[in-house]
Amino acid sequence: FGLQRVLFIPAAQPPHKPSVALAPAADRLAMLRLAVAGDARFEVSDLELKRGGVSYTVDTLRLLRTQRPEAALSFIIGGDSLRELHTWKDIYTILELAELVTVARPGFRTDDLNESTLRLRDPWPQRLAAQVASGHLVEISSTDIRQRVERGRSIRYLVSGPVEQYIADHALYRQQEMTRSTRWS
């Protein structure tokens, strides 16, 4: 898609995942910085964390448009989010502010992307279908990574070495087990 840079922005509070127990913001920001370190095409921003509250994409894109008026903005989403776009706050404003690029995920289909399945009016279904990046698909999810850590399973090769070490060093995603001992007399 000819992107010159990719800006990674961790959400303060994702609006569609209010029940997800997130790692502390400072830890998520630190892991993101570790994950992209050494690649000049990648940049990390804490603008949603600084703003706090629910992180709405439309607010972030408006701010980026103000900060970088010359930039042609693209917004990258996973294929699993494409069919939920109609539920996003001010989706038509989002679609005007940035070109959406969808990264296909295992099981993602493009043959049924239309007004009915996306629940968006024309011309958006056709435009969104044309902006799907495909290629070698790797089935990795943040939910799976958190669950693997919680269960004491390896996350090697699912995250970078420095991120894996950070998670271990900071005991992230480990369930605090409380045990009670009961005495019978």
Side-chain angles (χ1 to χ4, degrees):
F1 292 95
L3 304 179
Q4 295 176 350
R5 298 182 64 72
V6 176
L7 182 63
F8 291 86
I9 307 172
Q13 176 59 56
H16 288 87
K17 299 179 182 181
S19 62
V20 173
L22 298 174
D27 289 323
R28 291 185 289 119
L29 187 63
M31 287 187 288
L32 188 52
R33 287 183 171 142
L34 288 169
V36 304
D39 194 323
R41 300 169 298 173
F42 298 154
E43 183 180 337
V44 176
S45 170
D46 62 357
L47 71 92
E48 287 190 2
L49 298 177
K50 283 182 178 177
R51 187 173 62 225
V54 177
S55 298
Y56 290 110
T57 300
V58 69
D59 297 333
T60 301
L61 289 174
R62 284 180 177 137
L63 181 58
L64 288 172
R65 175 64 54 220
T66 301
Q67 292 177 346
R68 303 168 188 221
E70 75 293 342
L73 298 178
S74 295
F75 185 72
I76 303 170
I77 62 170
D80 51 332
S81 296
L82 188 59
R83 287 178 174 82
E84 298 174 1
L85 284 178
H86 69 279
T87 67
W88 290 22
K89 179 181 177 187
D90 298 332
I91 185 55
Y92 292 105
T93 302
I94 292 170
L95 294 170
E96 293 293 339
L97 287 170
E99 177 178 58
L100 262 70
V101 173
T102 302
V103 177
R105 296 181 65 135
F108 177 77
R109 295 178 38 207
T110 58
D111 59 340
D112 68 343
L113 298 179
N114 56 52
E115 192 172 340
S116 175
T117 59
L118 296 182
R119 300 184 204 174
L120 297 170
R121 63 180 180 252
D122 281 334
W124 298 111
Q126 296 80 14
R127 287 186 187 179
L128 293 169
Q131 291 297 110
V132 175
S134 59
H136 178 70
L137 303 180
V138 180
E139 195 164 351
I140 298 175
S141 78
S142 58
T143 300
D144 181 49
I145 290 168
R146 288 189 301 270
Q147 289 174 348
R148 291 178 71 85
V149 171
E150 183 178 357
R151 294 176 182 141
R153 296 178 62 201
S154 174
I155 56 171
R156 189 173 188 189
Y157 306 119
L158 299 176
V159 299
S160 68
V163 172
E164 181 182 18
Q165 189 63 52
Y166 187 95
I167 290 170
D169 290 348
H170 293 85
L172 297 177
Y173 311 120
R174 300 240 182 242
Q175 187 177 27
Q176 298 293 328
E177 293 186 27
M178 299 199 51
T179 58
R180 293 184 186 180
S181 61
T182 305
R183 290 189 178 193
W184 298 93
S185 44

